[in-house]
Amino acid sequence: MQFASRWLPRNGRPEVTHATGNSYLKDGVLPHMWCAGCGIGTMMGALVRSFEELGYRKSQTVVVTGIGCTGKLDDYLVTNALHTTHGRALAYATGIKAFKPELKVVVIMGDGDGVTIGGNHFIHAARRNMDLTAIVLNNLNYGMTGGQASATSPGASITSTTGYGNPERDFDICALAEAAGANFVARTTTYHGWELKDSIKTALTKTGFSLVEVMSPCPTQFGRRNEMKETTAMLLSLRDRATPLDHYRELPEAQRVGRFSTGILVDRGEPGFNERYAAVRERAVREAEGATS
Ligand SMILES: Cc1ncc(C[n+]2csc(CCOP(=O)(O)OP(=O)(O)O)c2C)c(N)n1
């Protein structure tokens, strides 16, 4: 089965890609398990197209996931894969990349995995500027376990654990990554399929910690409780809320309510962990040899 090869980008300019990414999918795995309207399949399509366009070798690529609907993604791929524990995917990925810097390591997480139970690993992977690409699909709740509130469920939203409205405030995942030191941060949505593929592709080419936040409310658990009963309503909401960074910056505070900035939000280009670590190792070896000679 082939993914549709046409996307309608935000500016309405139709573009065509011949990349299907199909060679990175296991035979016979489609149709996938995700609910109708869920964006995880869209994200997987963007990821495998990016691999194809960048010519990623399967044997050199490792997709690391945690637990959750989003964490099921590695089941579909023929790359190396490591399905880890809830919230700890970045810790496993850090070990892989530190030991084998030549591998391309991509970490796929839900918002629960990535920044709720996994918040501490997330902060420190960004602080270390680990040479990883983290893709967080933000569906605004714990999808797999029944739609409980996560650290990204908006204040006042209705979830299975906040039946009268969420009293907590939500994380801005991109702001968190930026503050912690990530080299590259981008945000887009599953409505903007073409931009999604480009964001992932760009992130994969960066050194240091790169993050793509993919906004895609869970239609089954979150949408139906929060006035997005139909999948189309959810997609139109993504279309209307997503605001390119330049435009977002110009908006007065009051007009930012209900919107989020999209595009490349941070691009620092600082040395990543592997480069810094190699320099430290070299110095240590030099000094140790100097001490024994
Ligand atoms: C340590 C641990 N705590 C809790 C769970 C139960 N659990 C499994 S998936 C999940 C929620 C996943 O939510 P998220 O990471 O946002 O992914 P989604 O399913 O929404 O894609 C939870 C709480 C678990 N497997 N392990």
Side-chain angles (χ1 to χ4, degrees), residues 40 67-71 86 88 109-114 117 137 139 141-145 150:
I40 303 173
I67 304 293
C69 296
T70 311
H86 194 36
R88 277 73 176 181
M109 299 168 286
D111 46 280
D113 231 0
I117 188 172
L137 184 120
N139 63 10
N141 66 181
Y142 289 136
M144 179 170 267
T145 43
S150 80

Side-chain angles (χ1 to χ4, degrees), residues 29-223:
V29 285
L30 297 179
H32 56 60
M33 57 155 270
W34 296 296
C35 301
C38 171
I40 303 173
T42 308
M43 179 180 74
M44 183 169 75
L47 179 71
V48 293
R49 282 190 178 88
S50 300
F51 286 165
E52 187 170 287
E53 290 182 13
L54 292 169
Y56 269 28
R57 287 172 54 205
K58 291 159 200 159
S59 59
Q60 292 289 300
T61 308
V62 189
V63 175
V64 183
T65 58
I67 304 293
C69 296
T70 311
K72 293 292 286 177
L73 192 145
D74 65 283
D75 281 1
Y76 295 86
L77 305 181
V78 291
T79 60
N80 296 292
L82 192 64
H83 190 53
T84 70
T85 48
H86 194 36
R88 277 73 176 181
L90 281 166
Y92 288 90
T94 295
I96 296 169
K97 190 68 189 184
F99 189 60
K100 292 225 172 233
E102 69 277 15
L103 296 177
K104 311 276 189 193
V105 184
V106 186
V107 189
I108 312 286
M109 299 168 286
D111 46 280
D113 231 0
V115 297
T116 313
I117 188 172
N120 202 43
H121 292 298
F122 184 86
I123 293 167
H124 292 290
R127 175 184 64 78
R128 292 188 180 111
N129 219 4
M130 283 309 304
D131 297 85
L132 306 168
T133 296
I135 304 176
V136 179
L137 184 120
N138 187 356
N139 63 10
L140 306 177
N141 66 181
Y142 289 136
M144 179 170 267
T145 43
Q148 296 86 354
S150 80
T152 65
S153 300
S157 58
I158 311 292
T159 70
S160 64
T161 47
T162 60
Y164 295 92
N166 182 13
E168 297 184 8
R169 295 180 297 176
D170 53 308
F171 267 144
D172 176 334
I173 300 179
C174 291
L176 184 66
E178 178 176 7
N183 245 4
F184 179 86
V185 177
R187 176 162 46 211
T188 183
T189 85
T190 46
Y191 176 83
H192 303 94
W194 189 258
E195 184 180 283
L196 173 59
K197 194 260 295 168
D198 281 348
S199 303
I200 293 175
K201 198 173 150 188
T202 307
L204 290 172
T205 64
K206 299 289 176 179
T207 56
F209 189 78
S210 55
L211 167 75
V212 181
E213 181 186 12
V214 184
M215 299 302 295
S216 186
C218 170
T220 303
Q221 302 291 354
F222 189 87

